[in-house]
Coordinates of all heavy atoms in Angstrom, one line a residue:
M1 N 0.8 -1.2 0.0 CA 0.0 0.0 0.0 C 0.9 1.2 0.0 O 1.9 1.3 0.7 CB -0.9 0.0 1.2 CG -2.0 1.0 1.2 SD -3.2 0.6 2.5 CE -3.5 2.2 3.1
T2 N 0.5 2.2 -0.8 CA 1.3 3.4 -0.9 C 0.7 4.5 0.0 O -0.5 4.5 0.2 CB 1.5 3.9 -2.4 OG1 0.2 4.2 -2.8 CG2 2.2 2.9 -3.2
N3 N 1.6 5.5 0.3 CA 1.1 6.6 1.2 C 0.9 7.8 0.3 O 1.8 8.3 -0.3 CB 2.2 6.9 2.2 CG 1.7 7.9 3.3 OD1 0.6 8.3 3.3 ND2 2.7 8.3 4.1
H4 N -0.4 8.3 0.2 CA -0.7 9.4 -0.7 C -1.0 10.6 0.2 O -1.6 10.6 1.3 CB -2.0 9.1 -1.5 CG -1.8 8.1 -2.6 ND1 -1.1 8.4 -3.7 CD2 -2.1 6.8 -2.6 CE1 -1.1 7.3 -4.5 NE2 -1.7 6.3 -3.8
D5 N -0.5 11.8 -0.2 CA -0.8 13.0 0.4 C -2.3 13.3 0.2 O -2.9 13.1 -0.9 CB 0.0 14.2 -0.2 CG -0.2 15.5 0.4 OD1 -0.4 15.6 1.7 OD2 -0.2 16.5 -0.3
E6 N -3.0 13.8 1.2 CA -4.5 14.0 1.1 C -4.9 15.0 0.0 O -5.9 14.9 -0.6 CB -5.1 14.5 2.4 CG -5.1 13.3 3.4 CD -5.7 13.8 4.7 OE1 -6.6 14.7 4.7 OE2 -5.5 13.2 5.7
D7 N -4.0 16.0 -0.4 CA -4.3 17.0 -1.4 C -4.0 16.5 -2.8 O -4.4 17.1 -3.8 CB -3.5 18.3 -1.1 CG -3.9 18.9 0.2 OD1 -5.1 18.8 0.5 OD2 -3.1 19.6 0.8
E8 N -3.3 15.4 -2.9 CA -2.9 14.9 -4.2 C -4.0 14.0 -4.8 O -4.4 13.0 -4.2 CB -1.6 14.0 -4.0 CG -1.1 13.5 -5.3 CD 0.2 12.6 -5.1 OE1 1.0 13.1 -4.3 OE2 0.3 11.5 -5.7
P9 N -4.4 14.3 -6.1 CA -5.4 13.4 -6.7 C -4.9 12.0 -6.9 O -3.7 11.8 -7.2 CB -5.7 14.1 -8.0 CG -5.0 15.4 -8.0 CD -4.0 15.4 -6.9
Q10 N -5.7 11.0 -6.7 CA -5.3 9.6 -6.8 C -5.7 9.2 -8.2 O -6.6 9.7 -8.8 CB -6.0 8.8 -5.8 CG -5.5 9.1 -4.4 CD -6.0 8.2 -3.3 OE1 -6.6 7.1 -3.7 NE2 -5.9 8.5 -2.1
G11 N -5.0 8.2 -8.8 CA -5.4 7.6 -10.1 C -4.4 8.0 -11.2 O -4.6 7.6 -12.3
G12 N -3.5 8.8 -10.9 CA -2.5 9.2 -11.9 C -2.9 10.3 -12.9 O -3.9 11.0 -12.7
L13 N -2.1 10.4 -13.9 CA -2.3 11.5 -14.9 C -3.7 11.4 -15.6 O -4.3 12.5 -15.8 CB -1.2 11.4 -15.9 CG -1.2 12.5 -17.0 CD1 -1.0 13.9 -16.3 CD2 0.0 12.3 -17.9
D14 N -4.2 10.3 -16.0 CA -5.4 10.2 -16.7 C -6.6 10.7 -15.8 O -7.4 11.5 -16.3 CB -5.8 8.7 -17.0 CG -4.8 8.2 -18.1 OD1 -4.1 8.9 -18.7 OD2 -4.8 6.9 -18.2
V15 N -6.6 10.4 -14.5 CA -7.6 10.9 -13.7 C -7.5 12.4 -13.5 O -8.5 13.2 -13.5 CB -7.6 10.2 -12.3 CG1 -8.6 10.8 -11.3 CG2 -8.0 8.7 -12.5
Q16 N -6.3 12.9 -13.3 CA -6.0 14.3 -13.2 C -6.5 15.1 -14.4 O -7.1 16.1 -14.3 CB -4.5 14.6 -12.9 CG -4.1 14.1 -11.5 CD -2.6 14.3 -11.4 OE1 -1.9 15.0 -12.1 NE2 -2.0 13.6 -10.4
L17 N -6.1 14.6 -15.6 CA -6.5 15.2 -16.8 C -8.0 15.3 -17.0 O -8.6 16.3 -17.3 CB -5.9 14.5 -18.0 CG -6.2 15.0 -19.4 CD1 -5.7 16.5 -19.5 CD2 -5.5 14.2 -20.4
A18 N -8.7 14.2 -16.7 CA -10.1 14.1 -16.7 C -10.8 15.1 -15.8 O -11.7 15.8 -16.1 CB -10.7 12.7 -16.4
A19 N -10.2 15.2 -14.6 CA -10.8 16.2 -13.6 C -10.6 17.6 -14.1 O -11.5 18.4 -13.9 CB -10.1 15.9 -12.2
E20 N -9.5 17.9 -14.7 CA -9.2 19.2 -15.2 C -10.2 19.6 -16.3 O -10.7 20.7 -16.4 CB -7.8 19.4 -15.7 CG -6.8 19.4 -14.6 CD -5.3 19.3 -15.0 OE1 -5.1 19.6 -16.2 OE2 -4.4 19.0 -14.2
L21 N -10.4 18.6 -17.2 CA -11.3 18.8 -18.3 C -12.8 19.0 -17.8 O -13.5 19.9 -18.3 CB -11.3 17.6 -19.3 CG -10.1 17.5 -20.2 CD1 -10.1 16.2 -20.9 CD2 -10.0 18.6 -21.2
V22 N -13.2 18.3 -16.9 CA -14.5 18.4 -16.3 C -14.7 19.8 -15.6 O -15.6 20.5 -15.8 CB -14.9 17.3 -15.3 CG1 -16.1 17.6 -14.5 CG2 -15.0 16.0 -16.1
A23 N -13.6 20.2 -14.9 CA -13.7 21.5 -14.2 C -13.7 22.6 -15.2 O -14.5 23.6 -15.0 CB -12.5 21.6 -13.3
K24 N -12.9 22.5 -16.3 CA -12.9 23.6 -17.3 C -14.3 23.6 -18.0 O -14.8 24.7 -18.3 CB -11.8 23.3 -18.3 CG -11.7 24.4 -19.3 CD -10.5 24.2 -20.2 CE -10.4 25.3 -21.2 NZ -9.4 25.2 -22.2
A25 N -14.8 22.5 -18.3 CA -16.2 22.4 -19.0 C -17.2 23.1 -18.1 O -18.0 23.9 -18.6 CB -16.5 21.0 -19.3
K26 N -17.2 22.8 -16.8 CA -18.2 23.4 -15.9 C -18.0 24.9 -15.8 O -19.0 25.6 -15.8 CB -18.1 22.7 -14.5 CG -18.6 21.3 -14.4 CD -18.5 20.8 -13.0 CE -19.1 19.4 -12.9 NZ -19.0 18.9 -11.6
A27 N -16.7 25.3 -15.7 CA -16.4 26.8 -15.6 C -16.9 27.5 -16.9 O -17.3 28.7 -16.8 CB -15.0 27.0 -15.4
E28 N -16.8 26.8 -18.0 CA -17.2 27.5 -19.3 C -18.7 27.2 -19.7 O -19.1 27.6 -20.7 CB -16.3 27.0 -20.4 CG -14.9 27.4 -20.3 CD -13.9 26.9 -21.3 OE1 -14.4 26.2 -22.3 OE2 -12.7 27.1 -21.2
G29 N -19.4 26.5 -18.8 CA -20.8 26.3 -19.0 C -21.1 25.2 -20.1 O -22.1 25.1 -20.6
V30 N -20.1 24.3 -20.3 CA -20.2 23.3 -21.3 C -20.8 22.0 -20.6 O -20.4 21.6 -19.6 CB -18.9 22.9 -21.9 CG1 -19.0 21.7 -22.8 CG2 -18.3 24.1 -22.7
S31 N -21.9 21.5 -21.2 CA -22.5 20.3 -20.7 C -21.5 19.1 -20.8 O -20.7 19.1 -21.7 CB -23.7 19.9 -21.5 OG -24.3 18.7 -21.1
L32 N -21.6 18.2 -19.9 CA -20.8 17.0 -19.9 C -21.2 16.0 -21.0 O -20.4 15.3 -21.5 CB -20.7 16.4 -18.5 CG -20.1 17.2 -17.4 CD1 -20.1 16.5 -16.1 CD2 -18.7 17.7 -17.8
V33 N -22.5 15.9 -21.2 CA -23.1 15.0 -22.2 C -23.9 15.8 -23.2 O -24.1 17.0 -23.1 CB -24.0 13.9 -21.5 CG1 -23.1 13.0 -20.6 CG2 -25.1 14.6 -20.7
G34 N -24.3 15.1 -24.3 CA -25.1 15.7 -25.3 C -24.3 16.0 -26.5 O -23.1 15.8 -26.5
P35 N -24.9 16.4 -27.6 CA -24.2 16.6 -28.9 C -23.1 17.6 -28.9 O -22.1 17.4 -29.6 CB -25.3 17.0 -29.9 CG -26.5 17.2 -29.1 CD -26.3 16.7 -27.7
D36 N -23.2 18.6 -28.1 CA -22.1 19.6 -28.0 C -21.4 19.5 -26.6 O -20.7 20.5 -26.2 CB -22.7 21.0 -28.1 CG -23.3 21.2 -29.5 OD1 -22.7 20.7 -30.5 OD2 -24.3 21.9 -29.6
G37 N -21.5 18.4 -25.9 CA -20.9 18.3 -24.6 C -19.5 17.8 -24.6 O -18.9 17.5 -25.7
L38 N -18.9 17.8 -23.5 CA -17.5 17.5 -23.3 C -17.2 16.0 -23.8 O -16.3 15.8 -24.5 CB -17.1 17.6 -21.8 CG -15.7 17.2 -21.4 CD1 -14.7 18.1 -22.0 CD2 -15.6 17.1 -19.9
L39 N -18.1 15.1 -23.4 CA -17.8 13.7 -23.8 C -17.8 13.5 -25.3 O -17.0 12.8 -25.9 CB -18.9 12.8 -23.2 CG -18.7 11.3 -23.4 CD1 -17.3 10.8 -22.9 CD2 -19.8 10.5 -22.6
A40 N -18.8 14.2 -26.0 CA -18.8 14.1 -27.5 C -17.5 14.7 -28.1 O -17.0 14.2 -29.0 CB -20.1 14.8 -28.0
G41 N -17.1 15.8 -27.5 CA -15.9 16.5 -28.0 C -14.7 15.6 -27.8 O -13.8 15.5 -28.7
I42 N -14.5 15.0 -26.7 CA -13.4 14.2 -26.4 C -13.4 13.0 -27.3 O -12.4 12.6 -27.8 CB -13.3 13.8 -24.9 CG1 -13.0 15.0 -24.0 CG2 -12.3 12.6 -24.7 CD1 -13.1 14.7 -22.6
T43 N -14.6 12.4 -27.5 CA -14.7 11.2 -28.3 C -14.3 11.5 -29.8 O -13.5 10.8 -30.4 CB -16.2 10.7 -28.3 OG1 -16.5 10.3 -27.0 CG2 -16.3 9.4 -29.2
K44 N -14.7 12.7 -30.2 CA -14.4 13.1 -31.6 C -12.9 13.3 -31.7 O -12.3 12.8 -32.7 CB -15.1 14.4 -31.9 CG -14.8 15.0 -33.3 CD -15.5 16.3 -33.6 CE -15.0 16.8 -34.9 NZ -15.7 18.1 -35.2
T45 N -12.3 13.9 -30.8 CA -10.8 14.2 -30.8 C -10.0 12.9 -30.8 O -9.1 12.8 -31.5 CB -10.4 15.1 -29.6 OG1 -11.2 16.4 -29.7 CG2 -9.0 15.4 -29.7
V46 N -10.4 12.0 -29.9 CA -9.7 10.7 -29.8 C -9.8 9.9 -31.1 O -8.9 9.3 -31.6 CB -10.2 9.9 -28.5 CG1 -9.6 8.5 -28.6 CG2 -9.7 10.6 -27.3
L47 N -11.1 9.8 -31.6 CA -11.3 9.1 -32.8 C -10.5 9.7 -34.0 O -9.9 8.9 -34.8 CB -12.8 9.0 -33.2 CG -13.6 8.0 -32.4 CD1 -15.1 8.2 -32.8 CD2 -13.2 6.6 -32.7
Q48 N -10.5 11.0 -34.1 CA -9.8 11.6 -35.2 C -8.3 11.4 -35.1 O -7.6 11.1 -36.1 CB -10.0 13.2 -35.2 CG -9.4 13.9 -36.3 CD -9.9 13.5 -37.7 OE1 -11.1 13.3 -37.8 NE2 -9.1 13.3 -38.7
A49 N -7.7 11.5 -33.8 CA -6.3 11.2 -33.6 C -6.0 9.7 -34.0 O -4.9 9.4 -34.6 CB -5.9 11.5 -32.2
A50 N -6.9 8.8 -33.6 CA -6.6 7.4 -33.9 C -6.7 7.1 -35.4 O -5.8 6.4 -35.9 CB -7.7 6.5 -33.2
L51 N -7.6 7.7 -36.1 CA -7.7 7.5 -37.5 C -6.5 8.1 -38.3 O -6.0 7.6 -39.2 CB -9.0 8.1 -38.1 CG -10.3 7.4 -37.6 CD1 -11.5 8.2 -38.0 CD2 -10.4 6.0 -38.2
E52 N -6.0 9.3 -37.8 CA -4.8 9.9 -38.4 C -3.6 9.0 -38.2 O -2.8 8.8 -39.1 CB -4.6 11.3 -37.8 CG -5.5 12.4 -38.3 CD -5.3 12.7 -39.7 OE1 -4.1 12.6 -40.2 OE2 -6.3 13.1 -40.4
A53 N -3.5 8.5 -37.0 CA -2.4 7.6 -36.7 C -2.4 6.3 -37.5 O -1.4 5.8 -38.0 CB -2.4 7.2 -35.2
E54 N -3.6 5.8 -37.7 CA -3.8 4.6 -38.5 C -3.4 4.9 -40.0 O -2.8 4.1 -40.6 CB -5.3 4.1 -38.4 CG -5.5 2.8 -39.2 CD -6.9 2.3 -39.0 OE1 -7.8 3.0 -38.4 OE2 -7.2 1.3 -39.6
M55 N -3.8 6.0 -40.5 CA -3.5 6.4 -41.9 C -2.0 6.6 -42.0 O -1.4 6.1 -43.0 CB -4.2 7.7 -42.3 CG -3.9 8.1 -43.7 SD -4.6 6.9 -44.9 CE -6.3 7.2 -44.9
T56 N -1.4 7.2 -41.0 CA 0.1 7.4 -41.1 C 0.8 6.1 -41.0 O 1.8 5.9 -41.8 CB 0.5 8.3 -39.9 OG1 -0.1 9.6 -40.0 CG2 2.0 8.4 -39.8
E57 N 0.4 5.2 -40.2 CA 1.0 3.8 -40.1 C 0.8 3.1 -41.4 O 1.7 2.5 -41.9 CB 0.3 3.1 -39.0 CG 0.9 1.6 -38.8 CD 2.3 1.6 -38.3 OE1 2.8 2.5 -37.7 OE2 3.0 0.6 -38.6
H58 N -0.4 3.2 -42.0 CA -0.7 2.4 -43.2 C 0.2 3.0 -44.4 O 0.7 2.2 -45.2 CB -2.2 2.6 -43.6 CG -2.6 2.0 -44.9 ND1 -2.6 0.6 -45.1 CD2 -2.9 2.6 -46.0 CE1 -3.0 0.4 -46.3 NE2 -3.2 1.6 -46.9
L59 N 0.3 4.3 -44.5 CA 1.0 4.9 -45.6 C 2.5 5.0 -45.4 O 3.3 5.0 -46.4 CB 0.4 6.3 -45.9 CG -1.0 6.3 -46.4 CD1 -1.5 7.8 -46.6 CD2 -1.2 5.6 -47.7
G60 N 2.9 5.0 -44.2 CA 4.3 5.1 -43.9 C 4.9 6.5 -43.8 O 6.1 6.6 -43.8
Y61 N 4.1 7.5 -43.8 CA 4.6 8.9 -43.7 C 3.5 9.8 -43.1 O 2.3 9.5 -43.1 CB 5.0 9.4 -45.1 CG 3.9 9.6 -46.1 CD1 3.2 10.8 -46.3 CD2 3.5 8.5 -46.9 CE1 2.2 11.0 -47.2 CE2 2.5 8.7 -47.8 CZ 1.9 9.9 -48.0 OH 0.8 10.0 -48.9
E62 N 4.0 10.9 -42.5 CA 3.1 11.8 -41.8 C 2.4 12.7 -42.7 O 2.8 12.9 -43.8 CB 3.9 12.7 -40.8 CG 4.6 11.9 -39.7 CD 3.7 11.5 -38.6 OE1 2.6 12.1 -38.4 OE2 4.0 10.5 -37.9
R63 N 1.2 13.2 -42.2 CA 0.5 14.2 -43.0 C 1.4 15.4 -43.3 O 2.2 15.9 -42.5 CB -0.7 14.7 -42.2 CG -1.5 15.8 -42.9 CD -2.7 16.3 -42.1 NE -3.8 15.3 -42.0 CZ -4.6 15.1 -43.0 NH1 -4.6 15.8 -44.1 NH2 -5.6 14.2 -42.9
G64 N 1.4 15.9 -44.5 CA 2.2 17.0 -45.0 C 3.5 16.6 -45.5 O 4.2 17.4 -46.1
E65 N 3.9 15.4 -45.3 CA 5.2 14.9 -45.9 C 4.9 14.2 -47.2 O 3.8 13.9 -47.6 CB 5.8 13.8 -44.9 CG 6.3 14.4 -43.6 CD 6.9 13.4 -42.7 OE1 6.9 12.2 -43.0 OE2 7.4 13.7 -41.6
H66 N 6.0 13.9 -47.9 CA 5.9 13.2 -49.2 C 6.4 11.8 -49.0 O 7.4 11.6 -48.2 CB 6.6 13.9 -50.3 CG 6.0 15.3 -50.6 ND1 4.8 15.4 -51.3 CD2 6.5 16.5 -50.3 CE1 4.6 16.7 -51.4 NE2 5.5 17.4 -50.8
P67 N 5.8 10.8 -49.6 CA 6.4 9.4 -49.4 C 7.8 9.3 -50.0 O 8.1 10.0 -50.9 CB 5.4 8.6 -50.2 CG 4.7 9.5 -51.2 CD 4.7 10.8 -50.5
A68 N 8.6 8.5 -49.3 CA 9.9 8.3 -49.8 C 10.0 7.7 -51.2 O 10.8 8.1 -52.0 CB 10.7 7.3 -48.8
A69 N 9.1 6.8 -51.5 CA 9.0 6.2 -52.9 C 7.6 6.2 -53.3 O 6.7 5.9 -52.5 CB 9.6 4.8 -52.9
P70 N 7.3 6.5 -54.5 CA 5.9 6.5 -55.0 C 5.3 5.1 -54.9 O 5.9 4.1 -55.3 CB 5.9 6.9 -56.4 CG 7.3 7.2 -56.8 CD 8.2 6.9 -55.6
T71 N 4.1 5.0 -54.2 CA 3.5 3.6 -54.1 C 2.1 3.6 -54.8 O 1.5 2.5 -54.8 CB 3.3 3.3 -52.6 OG1 2.4 4.3 -52.0 CG2 4.6 3.3 -51.8
G72 N 1.7 4.8 -55.2 CA 0.3 4.8 -55.8 C -0.8 4.9 -54.7 O -1.9 5.2 -55.0
N73 N -0.4 4.8 -53.5 CA -1.3 5.0 -52.4 C -0.9 6.2 -51.5 O 0.2 6.2 -51.0 CB -1.3 3.7 -51.5 CG -2.5 3.6 -50.6 OD1 -3.4 4.4 -50.7 ND2 -2.5 2.5 -49.8
H74 N -1.7 7.2 -51.5 CA -1.3 8.5 -50.9 C -2.5 9.2 -50.3 O -3.7 8.9 -50.6 CB -0.6 9.4 -51.9 CG -1.4 9.7 -53.1 ND1 -1.5 8.9 -54.2 CD2 -2.2 10.8 -53.4 CE1 -2.3 9.4 -55.1 NE2 -2.7 10.5 -54.6
R75 N -2.2 10.2 -49.5 CA -3.3 11.1 -49.0 C -3.7 12.0 -50.1 O -2.9 12.6 -50.8 CB -2.7 11.9 -47.9 CG -2.3 11.2 -46.7 CD -1.6 12.1 -45.6 NE -0.9 11.4 -44.6 CZ -1.4 11.0 -43.5 NH1 -2.6 11.4 -43.1 NH2 -0.7 10.3 -42.6
N76 N -5.0 12.1 -50.3 CA -5.6 12.9 -51.4 C -6.7 13.8 -50.9 O -7.7 14.0 -51.6 CB -6.0 12.1 -52.6 CG -7.1 11.1 -52.2 OD1 -7.4 10.9 -51.0 ND2 -7.6 10.4 -53.2
G77 N -6.6 14.3 -49.7 CA -7.6 15.2 -49.2 C -8.5 14.6 -48.2 O -8.2 13.5 -47.7
S78 N -9.5 15.2 -47.8 CA -10.4 14.7 -46.8 C -11.8 15.2 -47.1 O -12.1 16.1 -47.8 CB -10.0 15.1 -45.4 OG -10.1 16.5 -45.3
S79 N -12.8 14.5 -46.4 CA -14.2 14.9 -46.5 C -14.8 14.7 -45.2 O -14.3 13.9 -44.4 CB -14.9 14.2 -47.6 OG -14.9 12.8 -47.4
A80 N -15.9 15.4 -45.0 CA -16.7 15.2 -43.7 C -17.2 13.8 -43.6 O -17.7 13.2 -44.5 CB -17.8 16.2 -43.6
K81 N -17.1 13.2 -42.4 CA -17.6 11.9 -42.1 C -18.3 11.9 -40.7 O -18.0 12.7 -39.9 CB -16.5 10.9 -42.1 CG -15.8 10.7 -43.4 CD -14.5 10.0 -43.2 CE -13.7 10.0 -44.5 NZ -13.2 11.4 -44.9
T82 N -19.3 11.1 -40.6 CA -20.0 11.0 -39.3 C -19.8 9.5 -38.8 O -20.2 8.6 -39.5 CB -21.5 11.3 -39.4 OG1 -21.6 12.7 -39.9 CG2 -22.2 11.2 -38.1
V83 N -19.3 9.4 -37.6 CA -19.1 8.1 -37.0 C -20.2 7.9 -35.9 O -20.3 8.8 -35.1 CB -17.7 7.9 -36.4 CG1 -17.6 6.6 -35.7 CG2 -16.6 8.1 -37.5
S84 N -21.0 6.9 -36.0 CA -22.0 6.7 -34.9 C -21.3 5.9 -33.8 O -20.7 4.9 -33.9 CB -23.1 5.8 -35.5 OG -23.8 6.5 -36.5
T85 N -21.5 6.5 -32.6 CA -20.9 5.9 -31.4 C -22.0 5.8 -30.3 O -23.2 6.3 -30.5 CB -19.8 6.8 -30.8 OG1 -20.4 8.0 -30.3 CG2 -18.7 7.1 -31.8
E86 N -21.7 5.2 -29.2 CA -22.7 5.1 -28.1 C -23.1 6.4 -27.5 O -24.1 6.6 -26.9 CB -22.1 4.2 -27.0 CG -22.0 2.7 -27.5 CD -21.4 1.9 -26.4 OE1 -21.2 2.3 -25.3 OE2 -21.2 0.7 -26.7
V87 N -22.2 7.4 -27.7 CA -22.5 8.8 -27.1 C -23.2 9.7 -28.2 O -23.4 10.8 -27.9 CB -21.3 9.4 -26.5 CG1 -20.8 8.7 -25.3 CG2 -20.2 9.6 -27.5
G88 N -23.4 9.1 -29.4 CA -24.0 9.9 -30.4 C -23.1 10.0 -31.7 O -22.0 9.5 -31.7
P89 N -23.6 10.7 -32.7 CA -22.8 10.9 -33.9 C -21.6 11.8 -33.7 O -21.6 12.7 -32.9 CB -23.8 11.5 -34.9 CG -25.0 12.0 -34.1 CD -24.9 11.3 -32.8

């Protein structure tokens, strides 16, 4: 068992980050749930980052870079997409 200071949040960085996001959302009057809420925004940001990372891994180069050798498979723009999740579109 570890000894924690009473003022120190428990659970590590993830819990601290989540607590900060919730506090900021409340201070700015942002709902935690709903289409424009904090949870939907975080979900969108995480999904977008994961899809970008997947594309970078698949193609072998970062957005804005040029491939080392032409493969015929490249980034050619983007378009709006809607992903259906448990917290909404």
